[in-house]
Amino acid sequence: MRITKETVEHVANLARLYLSEEEKAEMTEKLNSILDYMEKLNELDTSQVQPTAHVIPIKNVFREDRVWESLPLKETLKNAPDRDENFFRVPRIIEE
């Protein structure tokens, strides 16, 4: 499978990108070199290779969830520039 200049133009159009003629030629060449490399990889015999999700045998690296007391509400809101009862009040950023 080869990438043509027309394919690059089509993808650039979908992405709303303007590419000069030189950039189109460069992208066509680069994408084709990537596909050539992938073809070399397809020549390898991987029938004896186990599928992996990660090259390093890592298990769950997340720490255990722990429950602890949060900051007291009064202390949390004491430096709030504006508040509404127990909530921070922030300026509206979305116009209607």
Side-chain angles (χ1 to χ4, degrees):
M1 181 172 146
R2 303 297 297 169
I3 301 291
T4 63
K5 182 179 166 186
E6 290 76 24
T7 304
V8 171
E9 288 172 343
H10 178 68
V11 172
N13 184 42
L14 291 174
R16 306 286 193 262
L17 297 174
Y18 172 77
L19 299 177
S20 67
E21 290 301 316
E22 296 82 26
E23 290 171 320
K24 291 175 190 175
E26 181 182 355
M27 289 305 298
T28 302
E29 183 180 327
K30 285 184 178 184
L31 290 171
N32 279 317
S33 70
I34 292 170
L35 290 177
D36 290 340
Y37 184 72
M38 296 308 295
E39 281 303 314
K40 285 182 185 177
L41 292 177
N42 284 335
E43 294 172 7
L44 296 173
D45 178 22
T46 59
S47 61
Q48 302 299 317
V49 177
Q50 290 286 335
T52 59
H54 200 283
V55 294
I56 301 173
I58 294 179
K59 302 285 188 242
N60 186 358
V61 295
F62 298 113
R63 65 173 169 77
E64 292 294 320
D65 286 339
R66 291 179 288 158
V67 178
W68 65 75
E69 292 292 320
S70 60
L71 287 173
L73 190 57
K74 187 175 183 180
E75 185 180 337
T76 304
L77 293 170
K78 75 178 179 184
N79 291 325
D82 192 10
R83 61 188 269 196
D84 182 9
E85 295 181 24
N86 293 331
F87 301 98
F88 289 98
R89 178 173 277 231
V90 295
R92 177 180 291 211
I93 59 169
I94 300 175
E95 298 178 13
E96 293 182 28

